[in-house]
Amino acid sequence: MQKKTIFSGMQATGNLHIGNWLGAARNWAKLSADYNCLYCVVDLHALTVRQDPAQLRNNARSVLAWYIALGINPDENILYFQSHVAEHAELAWILNCYTYMGELNRMTQFKDKSAKNEENINAGLFTYPVLMAADILLFQTHLVPVGDDQRQHVELARDVAQRFNHVYGDIFVIPEGYIPPVGARIMALQDPTRKMSKSDENISNSIFLSDTSDAIIKKFKRAVTDSDGQVRYAPEEKAGVSNLLSIYSCVTGRTPQDCEKDFAGQGYGALKTTVGEALVEAITPYRNEHARLMADTAYLDGIIASGAAQAKVLATSTMARVKKAVGLPK
Ligand code: TYM
């Protein structure tokens, strides 16, 4: 039987943090054997916020190198830059004409991002979810593994695809989100009521994949918990402690409830140290591999070129059907 398709991506802004890994890339690596997968570095999406050009270019390469370092085999999966396949932007324009202002107005990420970037609420920020829908629909994607914060965007992609198909017949596969039961929402260490975010100004809130082992241990030691002293998994009541248990659960592959038992009769100090050390052990080989890949320019260039060429073939085929359906001349 023909394998189904996975598409997912990360923005090329800043450093990846453990939320990006545990909420998304960890599942990409796990699912990749059973699907045809495209993992894209969404550099066009990054332009919705002002970027330093040299830094953006470097970040984009770094994110792609992280994909490989985190276990996504470039010989078996398509890894590429969104801006190398112009069909993303082309389909986004067409889908803009099938998406309602009211739908985009409801997007919580738009509301959050415009509150953070009051001086630059550009149209790209508003239509960002349409470009994301185009990313997904361009490849006839069945499954989109993402963290919880992308749930609403994947829903929109489904709605737009259904609307389009309703008018023109079966042009797009209707995608489904894949959001993991644990790890889909890793919270900020200093404020566990907010999610960990790349753009957070307080670096103590995030564990970056590039952090040194020392920095990781220190950040965990300072993580905000609560005052009742019991290591118990209860995300609503005990956000900080539950966040640490979620991280530990993802790293060990055990349920948070099972992890809880390791700390019976122990305080938060033991929890913070154990989670910090487990994470350091898990991340160190990835960090070393990332450094090795970043130094191997020719190898990365080869993957980038071949990924774009493969993605282009698939994208062209969908675009031909879409253009024909809507009546654009041959
Ligand atoms: P981005 O770059 O913000 O995040 C990349 C992935 O990491 C997940 N994630 C988290 N998971 C758990 N806890 C967190 N604190 C956390 N923070 C981020 C995100 O859910 C995401 O899966 N719009 C997307 C990129 C995108 C995309 C796409 C994704 C563009 N086109 C098409 C899938 C399909 C974004 O900004 O992700």
Side-chain angles (χ1 to χ4, degrees), residues 1-5 32-36 142:
M1 210 177 74
Q2 167 100 42
K3 282 186 185 173
K4 291 187 170 173
T5 299
S32 67
D34 298 324
Y35 290 82
N36 290 323
H142 298 88

PDB file of all heavy atoms in Angstrom, residues 1-5 32-36 142:
ATOM      1  N   MET A   1       0.839  -1.201   0.000  1.00  0.00           N
ATOM      2  CA  MET A   1       0.000   0.000   0.000  1.00  0.00           C
ATOM      3  C   MET A   1       0.879   1.259   0.000  1.00  0.00           C
ATOM      4  O   MET A   1       1.919   1.283   0.643  1.00  0.00           O
ATOM      5  CB  MET A   1      -0.886  -0.004   1.245  1.00  0.00           C
ATOM      6  CG  MET A   1      -2.202   0.702   1.016  1.00  0.00           C
ATOM      7  SD  MET A   1      -3.269   0.620   2.483  1.00  0.00           S
ATOM      8  CE  MET A   1      -2.474   1.783   3.579  1.00  0.00           C
ATOM      9  N   GLN A   2       0.427   2.249  -0.717  1.00  0.00           N
ATOM     10  CA  GLN A   2       1.156   3.524  -0.782  1.00  0.00           C
ATOM     11  C   GLN A   2       1.187   4.186   0.609  1.00  0.00           C
ATOM     12  O   GLN A   2       0.166   4.249   1.285  1.00  0.00           O
ATOM     13  CB  GLN A   2       0.410   4.421  -1.776  1.00  0.00           C
ATOM     14  CG  GLN A   2       0.802   5.863  -1.773  1.00  0.00           C
ATOM     15  CD  GLN A   2       1.759   6.198  -2.910  1.00  0.00           C
ATOM     16  OE1 GLN A   2       1.570   5.731  -4.027  1.00  0.00           O
ATOM     17  NE2 GLN A   2       2.773   6.976  -2.625  1.00  0.00           N
ATOM     18  N   LYS A   3       2.358   4.636   1.014  1.00  0.00           N
ATOM     19  CA  LYS A   3       2.456   5.311   2.313  1.00  0.00           C
ATOM     20  C   LYS A   3       1.719   6.653   2.278  1.00  0.00           C
ATOM     21  O   LYS A   3       1.689   7.316   1.242  1.00  0.00           O
ATOM     22  CB  LYS A   3       3.923   5.592   2.630  1.00  0.00           C
ATOM     23  CG  LYS A   3       4.702   4.400   3.118  1.00  0.00           C
ATOM     24  CD  LYS A   3       6.093   4.886   3.529  1.00  0.00           C
ATOM     25  CE  LYS A   3       6.991   3.752   3.924  1.00  0.00           C
ATOM     26  NZ  LYS A   3       8.371   4.190   4.169  1.00  0.00           N
ATOM     27  N   LYS A   4       1.166   7.039   3.420  1.00  0.00           N
ATOM     28  CA  LYS A   4       0.542   8.355   3.515  1.00  0.00           C
ATOM     29  C   LYS A   4       1.624   9.426   3.710  1.00  0.00           C
ATOM     30  O   LYS A   4       2.783   9.103   3.958  1.00  0.00           O
ATOM     31  CB  LYS A   4      -0.453   8.369   4.671  1.00  0.00           C
ATOM     32  CG  LYS A   4      -1.651   7.486   4.368  1.00  0.00           C
ATOM     33  CD  LYS A   4      -2.715   7.633   5.413  1.00  0.00           C
ATOM     34  CE  LYS A   4      -3.968   6.935   4.926  1.00  0.00           C
ATOM     35  NZ  LYS A   4      -4.993   6.901   5.966  1.00  0.00           N
ATOM     36  N   THR A   5       1.183  10.694   3.621  1.00  0.00           N
ATOM     37  CA  THR A   5       2.159  11.792   3.656  1.00  0.00           C
ATOM     38  C   THR A   5       2.078  12.599   4.951  1.00  0.00           C
ATOM     39  O   THR A   5       0.989  12.904   5.433  1.00  0.00           O
ATOM     40  CB  THR A   5       1.913  12.725   2.446  1.00  0.00           C
ATOM     41  OG1 THR A   5       2.108  11.957   1.266  1.00  0.00           O
ATOM     42  CG2 THR A   5       2.857  13.918   2.437  1.00  0.00           C
ATOM     43  N   SER A  32       8.407   8.853  11.055  1.00  0.00           N
ATOM     44  CA  SER A  32       8.923   8.957   9.688  1.00  0.00           C
ATOM     45  C   SER A  32       9.052   7.610   8.967  1.00  0.00           C
ATOM     46  O   SER A  32       8.967   7.571   7.741  1.00  0.00           O
ATOM     47  CB  SER A  32      10.231   9.740   9.654  1.00  0.00           C
ATOM     48  OG  SER A  32      11.220   9.020  10.298  1.00  0.00           O
ATOM     49  N   ALA A  33       9.199   6.516   9.710  1.00  0.00           N
ATOM     50  CA  ALA A  33       9.349   5.229   9.030  1.00  0.00           C
ATOM     51  C   ALA A  33       8.069   4.819   8.301  1.00  0.00           C
ATOM     52  O   ALA A  33       8.125   4.140   7.274  1.00  0.00           O
ATOM     53  CB  ALA A  33       9.731   4.156  10.047  1.00  0.00           C
ATOM     54  N   ASP A  34       6.918   5.244   8.805  1.00  0.00           N
ATOM     55  CA  ASP A  34       5.647   4.768   8.247  1.00  0.00           C
ATOM     56  C   ASP A  34       4.992   5.724   7.249  1.00  0.00           C
ATOM     57  O   ASP A  34       3.891   5.457   6.767  1.00  0.00           O
ATOM     58  CB  ASP A  34       4.658   4.498   9.390  1.00  0.00           C
ATOM     59  CG  ASP A  34       5.196   3.412  10.310  1.00  0.00           C
ATOM     60  OD1 ASP A  34       5.832   2.482   9.797  1.00  0.00           O
ATOM     61  OD2 ASP A  34       5.023   3.531  11.544  1.00  0.00           O
ATOM     62  N   TYR A  35       5.619   6.848   6.997  1.00  0.00           N
ATOM     63  CA  TYR A  35       5.016   7.851   6.104  1.00  0.00           C
ATOM     64  C   TYR A  35       6.055   8.378   5.122  1.00  0.00           C
ATOM     65  O   TYR A  35       7.259   8.280   5.376  1.00  0.00           O
ATOM     66  CB  TYR A  35       4.523   9.052   6.932  1.00  0.00           C
ATOM     67  CG  TYR A  35       3.314   8.768   7.794  1.00  0.00           C
ATOM     68  CD1 TYR A  35       3.453   8.152   9.035  1.00  0.00           C
ATOM     69  CD2 TYR A  35       2.033   9.116   7.373  1.00  0.00           C
ATOM     70  CE1 TYR A  35       2.348   7.894   9.836  1.00  0.00           C
ATOM     71  CE2 TYR A  35       0.920   8.863   8.164  1.00  0.00           C
ATOM     72  CZ  TYR A  35       1.080   8.250   9.399  1.00  0.00           C
ATOM     73  OH  TYR A  35      -0.005   8.005  10.184  1.00  0.00           O
ATOM     74  N   ASN A  36       5.572   8.992   4.046  1.00  0.00           N
ATOM     75  CA  ASN A  36       6.448   9.823   3.215  1.00  0.00           C
ATOM     76  C   ASN A  36       6.447  11.196   3.861  1.00  0.00           C
ATOM     77  O   ASN A  36       5.378  11.808   3.994  1.00  0.00           O
ATOM     78  CB  ASN A  36       5.879   9.964   1.799  1.00  0.00           C
ATOM     79  CG  ASN A  36       5.969   8.655   1.042  1.00  0.00           C
ATOM     80  OD1 ASN A  36       6.941   7.914   1.195  1.00  0.00           O
ATOM     81  ND2 ASN A  36       4.953   8.356   0.260  1.00  0.00           N
ATOM     82  N   HIS A 142      -1.582  13.992   4.752  1.00  0.00           N
ATOM     83  CA  HIS A 142      -2.573  13.322   5.605  1.00  0.00           C
ATOM     84  C   HIS A 142      -2.418  13.719   7.061  1.00  0.00           C
ATOM     85  O   HIS A 142      -3.404  13.862   7.775  1.00  0.00           O
ATOM     86  CB  HIS A 142      -2.426  11.794   5.490  1.00  0.00           C
ATOM     87  CG  HIS A 142      -2.670  11.284   4.101  1.00  0.00           C
ATOM     88  ND1 HIS A 142      -1.671  11.191   3.158  1.00  0.00           N
ATOM     89  CD2 HIS A 142      -3.794  10.864   3.494  1.00  0.00           C
ATOM     90  CE1 HIS A 142      -2.179  10.730   2.022  1.00  0.00           C
ATOM     91  NE2 HIS A 142      -3.463  10.525   2.201  1.00  0.00           N
TER      92      HIS A 142
END
